[in-house]
Amino acid sequence: MELNELDYRLLEYLYHNHNEPFSKIAKSTKLSRDQVEYRVNKYLKEGIIRKFFSIFNYNKLGYRLFVNLFLKFEKPRMAEDFSKNLFKNKNCISYGKVYGRYDIFLNAVFKDDAELNIFLSNLFEDENYVLVDYLLIKPSLIELYPLKFINSYKKEDYSLIFNDESKVSLDYLDIKILKILAENGRERLIDLALKTKASSDVVLYRLKRLKSNKIILGNRIQFNMSLLGYFYTILMINFRNFSIKNKEKIRAHVKNSKCTNSIIFNLQKPNSIIQLFHKEIKEVRDEVEKMKDLFGDSLIDIDILQIGDDEIEIRPLPFLD
């Protein structure tokens, strides 16, 4: 599907405000209501939009540790079976297939290091999955630029790394609302009321409270980038001298580069992870060459991993299932 300027305008607004009624979206994007409804239904029918979901503050829900894991299994079948079971895992918020050095990546949240260590220990001890290699990343910085494919270079306005140690108590109704929004962030107020068996006024009050307490941080869209002709590639970069100067240089590059949509700083090797979205493999080669030119005076190692976009699954609140 080829996108035009009207699509760009609508998708950028929808990405952050998709739970608004069509009439309000139309007014904000200066489109007619019929145009908005037609295009949104078209995105859904053609599979361009895979999922509407809400963004949550895991720290306030008691999960203070966010990690990335890359796993390599002894046999491809083990990776496939493990992926199927990830849908039941209470810590995994997203996962997908990797082509190259590893088989699977997953993003996960844990209450603390102790829970993470139990997860890893169980993984190594499970005879059904022989793990031959893994990479654990504990991000110290995450910056996302998810809409560059529609020419929006704005940095994402939320972070998966929080310093607030406070945990908020939730009752049954709060949890029910959060679970519904995790599955469909565009759920209407009237449908939330029906599914929770509460009045619309009560649900609206709870929603406002969940947002004011910064438990619900916003709304997002999962796009099917492959249908738009894009592929994902990860550059794992290790600087021998990860100085403040080099950190700022690479952040500036990621911000301004058309095909880089995220950067992670890691406390261990590799100390920088960049995700690219691209249509041609030449764009990956060009990006690697730009890195080498940009840091010509520094010693860097670069590993390249390809990600299967079609296989990426997002489960925003797995621990509430």
Side-chain angles (χ1 to χ4, degrees), residues 11 22 25 34 41 47 54 58 65 77 82 94 116 119 156 164 177 204 210 227 235 241 274 283 286 288 290 303:
L11 287 174
F22 286 143
I25 294 171
D34 288 343
N41 288 335
S54 296
Y58 297 109
L65 180 61
R77 176 185 56 79
F82 182 79
S94 63
L116 169 61
F119 175 87
E156 186 57 279
D164 184 5
I177 291 171
L204 180 59
L210 288 167
L227 288 182
L235 301 183
N241 176 22
I274 293 175
E283 295 174 77
D286 290 345
V288 171
K290 288 177 183 177
D303 286 333

Side-chain angles (χ1 to χ4, degrees), residues 245-295:
K245 180 180 178 181
N246 281 340
K247 289 180 181 179
E248 292 307 312
K249 282 173 67 175
I250 200 167
R251 288 177 69 189
H253 173 76
V254 169
K255 178 180 179 180
N256 296 310
S257 173
K258 182 174 178 59
C259 66
T260 54
N261 72 332
S262 71
I263 184 170
I264 291 174
F265 286 167
N266 185 32
L267 298 177
Q268 297 176 326
K269 182 179 180 180
N271 44 37
S272 181
I273 299 96
I274 293 175
Q275 182 170 275
L276 314 176
F277 64 103
H278 55 91
K279 292 189 173 183
E280 305 291 340
I281 194 65
K282 182 179 181 300
E283 295 174 77
V284 178
R285 293 198 296 265
D286 290 345
E287 193 65 26
V288 171
E289 289 302 316
K290 288 177 183 177
M291 287 292 168
K292 292 179 179 179
D293 291 340
L294 185 63
F295 300 100

Side-chain angles (χ1 to χ4, degrees), residues 177-227:
I177 291 171
L178 293 178
K179 289 175 69 173
I180 294 171
L181 292 177
E183 290 300 316
N184 180 13
R186 192 167 163 72
E187 200 75 68
R188 297 181 306 167
L189 178 63
I190 188 172
D191 293 323
L192 279 171
L194 288 171
K195 291 182 178 181
T196 59
K197 298 180 180 179
S199 70
S200 295
D201 289 340
V202 169
V203 172
L204 180 59
Y205 170 76
R206 293 298 185 98
L207 280 172
K208 289 181 177 179
R209 191 175 69 176
L210 288 167
K211 291 176 181 179
S212 65
N213 287 333
K214 296 185 178 179
I215 296 172
I216 298 176
L217 299 177
N219 306 290
R220 300 296 180 265
I221 294 173
Q222 180 186 11
F223 296 104
N224 190 328
M225 296 298 288
S226 62
L227 288 182

Side-chain angles (χ1 to χ4, degrees), residues 8-269:
Y8 292 170
R9 188 195 315 166
L10 179 55
L11 287 174
E12 181 175 9
Y13 189 83
L14 276 175
Y15 188 78
H16 298 281
N17 307 281
H18 59 64
N19 61 342
E20 293 180 352
F22 286 143
S23 56
K24 186 173 181 180
I25 294 171
K27 183 177 181 180
S28 298
T29 56
K30 297 181 180 179
L31 299 171
S32 70
R33 188 194 181 283
D34 288 343
Q35 282 180 309
V36 171
E37 185 173 6
Y38 169 77
R39 287 175 183 267
V40 171
N41 288 335
K42 184 178 180 182
Y43 302 147
L44 291 168
K45 183 179 180 180
E46 296 189 4
I48 299 301
I49 292 179
R50 291 185 62 189
K51 185 175 184 176
F52 295 107
F53 62 99
S54 296
I55 293 292
F56 305 98
N57 186 331
Y58 297 109
N59 193 75
K60 287 187 175 290
L61 296 173
Y63 288 79
R64 298 185 172 91
L65 180 61
F66 172 80
V67 302
N68 313 109
L69 270 169
F70 292 83
L71 307 175
K72 178 69 175 179
F73 294 90
E74 185 180 56
K75 300 176 181 178
R77 176 185 56 79
M78 294 178 178
E80 293 176 9
D81 292 343
F82 182 79
S83 293
K84 293 175 183 177
N85 288 326
L86 277 176
F87 200 77
K88 306 172 186 176
N89 184 272
K90 73 170 187 175
N91 302 104
C92 180
I93 60 175
S94 63
Y95 60 94
K97 186 178 290 187
V98 180
Y99 300 93
R101 181 175 175 180
Y102 302 98
D103 298 317
I104 295 170
F105 81 88
L106 61 100
N107 300 315
V109 289
F110 298 90
K111 292 179 179 178
D112 48 36
D113 282 304
E115 188 177 46
L116 169 61
N117 291 335
I118 292 172
F119 175 87
L120 293 174
S121 296
N122 290 339
L123 185 56
F124 278 108
E125 293 171 3
D126 194 328
E127 296 179 354
N128 295 314
Y129 314 115
V130 181
L131 197 63
V132 296
D133 192 16
Y134 79 99
L135 174 65
L136 172 65
I137 295 170
K138 291 183 177 180
S140 60
L141 175 140
I142 302 175
E143 291 184 351
L144 308 173
Y145 298 88
L147 298 179
K148 285 185 179 179
F149 74 98
I150 57 173
N151 297 327
S152 175
Y153 282 63
K154 295 179 182 178
K155 185 173 68 173
E156 186 57 279
D157 58 359
Y158 79 96
S159 174
L160 288 167
I161 302 173
F162 303 98
N163 296 317
D164 184 5
E165 294 295 324
S166 61
K167 180 182 177 181
V168 177
S169 296
L170 304 174
D171 64 13
Y172 173 80
L173 180 56
D174 292 325
I175 293 173
K176 186 68 175 176
I177 291 171
L178 293 178
K179 289 175 69 173
I180 294 171
L181 292 177
E183 290 300 316
N184 180 13
R186 192 167 163 72
E187 200 75 68
R188 297 181 306 167
L189 178 63
I190 188 172
D191 293 323
L192 279 171
L194 288 171
K195 291 182 178 181
T196 59
K197 298 180 180 179
S199 70
S200 295
D201 289 340
V202 169
V203 172
L204 180 59
Y205 170 76
R206 293 298 185 98
L207 280 172
K208 289 181 177 179
R209 191 175 69 176
L210 288 167
K211 291 176 181 179
S212 65
N213 287 333
K214 296 185 178 179
I215 296 172
I216 298 176
L217 299 177
N219 306 290
R220 300 296 180 265
I221 294 173
Q222 180 186 11
F223 296 104
N224 190 328
M225 296 298 288
S226 62
L227 288 182
L228 295 172
Y230 287 92
F231 302 92
Y232 282 114
T233 296
I234 290 178
L235 301 183
M236 293 190 171
I237 306 171
N238 195 65
F239 290 82
R240 310 290 176 85
N241 176 22
F242 202 36
S243 63
I244 293 176
K245 180 180 178 181
N246 281 340
K247 289 180 181 179
E248 292 307 312
K249 282 173 67 175
I250 200 167
R251 288 177 69 189
H253 173 76
V254 169
K255 178 180 179 180
N256 296 310
S257 173
K258 182 174 178 59
C259 66
T260 54
N261 72 332
S262 71
I263 184 170
I264 291 174
F265 286 167
N266 185 32
L267 298 177
Q268 297 176 326
K269 182 179 180 180

